[in-house]
Amino acid sequence: MELTHWRLLAERGADLVLCLDFPGGRAAAGFAELAAGVTADACFLHITQPGEGALGACVDRWVAEVSSTGRPVRAVLGYCAGAALVPAVADAVAESGPTPATVLFDAVTTSAGSIAHEFTNALATSADHLTADELDGARSLADGLVEAHPDDLPRIAAALVEHYDGLMGEVARRLSLNEFFRRQLTGGFTAYVEFLLLAGQGGFDARRGTPLFVSSKDRQPPADATRTLALDVSHTDLLREAEVHGLVAELLMGERTW
């Protein structure tokens, strides 16, 4: 199956399961672990880099490619910020076929504060190569942007990416890294922020169906969630947990509807 916007995680059946999460690496378990652990007959696909454009345009591209396979979409799954993309994708799928089941794992919304938090987290990985003044200045910048422009996420993101790039230039100089490695340092953070901005255009309201929110012991579902399931599992291990794999398998095989 040749796809541009989706990456194959596991192919054990004709029906599709669409997985929405940041396509880059992360410390927490991802959908690759879930796809490997779920025994149901299904084909698991993970979104690749979203590309440019508004959420509606991205969803149209993603779903058009899935529809071109001729395979039914049985479920749409989302994790963390990517969960906010699920309802839009599921609604688009339902325009030409049955409404897929939707499961949102540790769903969060993108906010000014969350972008600033990811900025400071990203800098923490390079803290050994930055001065205390540089780190303090970066935190002050992030806090000031959130306070001054709480609703202007693109403005905050652009300013933080620019500042991050400057600091990574200092790190590259101190470590005698060439321009290629400097771009690598900045590129991963930039891609993540772009994904967060895209997810920030989404939400948890679906025109068809009601999402199930599955939460780890570290997180809480949105206050207005009507179908919830709380598990005694850490956020980091949620998608690799055998209990979660069993729940998803039961859902896909029609043995459980919550």
Side-chain angles (χ1 to χ4, degrees):
M1 186 167 40
E2 295 293 332
L3 298 172
T4 300
H5 304 297
W6 299 92
R7 176 170 59 93
L8 180 66
L9 296 181
E11 186 162 16
R12 293 187 296 271
D15 290 1
L16 302 179
V17 177
L18 308 183
C19 303
L20 300 167
D21 183 24
F22 177 60
R26 63 163 75 242
F31 280 113
E33 286 90 340
L34 183 140
V38 174
T39 57
D41 292 336
C43 176
F44 287 78
L45 301 177
H46 194 290
I47 197 67
T48 61
Q49 291 293 348
E52 298 181 357
L55 178 57
C58 290
V59 169
D60 287 345
R61 290 196 298 270
W62 302 341
V63 174
E65 184 170 59
V66 166
S67 298
S68 71
T69 68
R71 299 188 184 190
V73 176
R74 197 187 306 183
V76 184
L77 314 178
Y79 177 70
C80 210
L85 303 172
V86 168
V89 171
D91 283 342
V93 168
E95 292 289 339
S96 58
T99 300
T102 51
V103 185
L104 282 56
F105 296 95
D106 275 351
V108 296
T109 56
T110 299
S111 65
S114 66
I115 293 176
H117 177 71
E118 296 300 338
F119 169 72
T120 54
N121 275 353
L123 287 180
T125 64
S126 300
D128 289 345
H129 309 295
L130 296 168
T131 68
D133 286 344
E134 286 169 336
L135 291 170
D136 289 343
R139 296 188 192 100
S140 295
L141 172 67
D143 291 344
L145 287 167
V146 170
E147 182 176 356
H149 312 287
D151 300 318
D152 194 344
L153 302 190
R155 180 172 183 168
I156 292 173
L160 294 181
V161 166
E162 180 180 12
H163 196 74
Y164 186 88
D165 182 58
L167 290 176
M168 290 306 100
E170 287 299 314
V171 170
R173 182 181 61 79
R174 290 163 189 169
L175 296 178
S176 299
L177 300 176
N178 61 29
E179 185 61 22
F180 171 80
F181 287 103
R182 183 241 177 101
R183 290 196 300 269
Q184 290 292 102
L185 290 171
T186 302
F189 177 69
T190 301
Y192 187 41
V193 169
E194 289 174 348
F195 181 82
L196 291 177
L197 288 176
L198 186 70
Q201 299 177 46
F204 303 132
D205 294 328
R207 297 194 304 272
R208 298 177 175 86
T210 303
L212 170 70
F213 292 83
V214 177
S215 300
S216 67
K217 62 183 179 182
D218 309 315
R219 304 294 175 93
Q220 296 293 324
D224 57 352
T226 58
R227 299 174 67 212
T228 63
L229 182 65
L231 301 177
D232 188 24
V233 178
S234 71
H235 172 72
T236 299
D237 293 328
L238 182 61
L239 296 185
R240 69 166 59 96
E241 181 64 32
E243 182 179 2
V244 172
H245 298 169
L247 292 171
V248 173
E250 290 175 0
L251 169 69
L252 297 178
M253 292 186 290
E255 297 176 359
R256 182 163 182 156
T257 58
W258 286 281

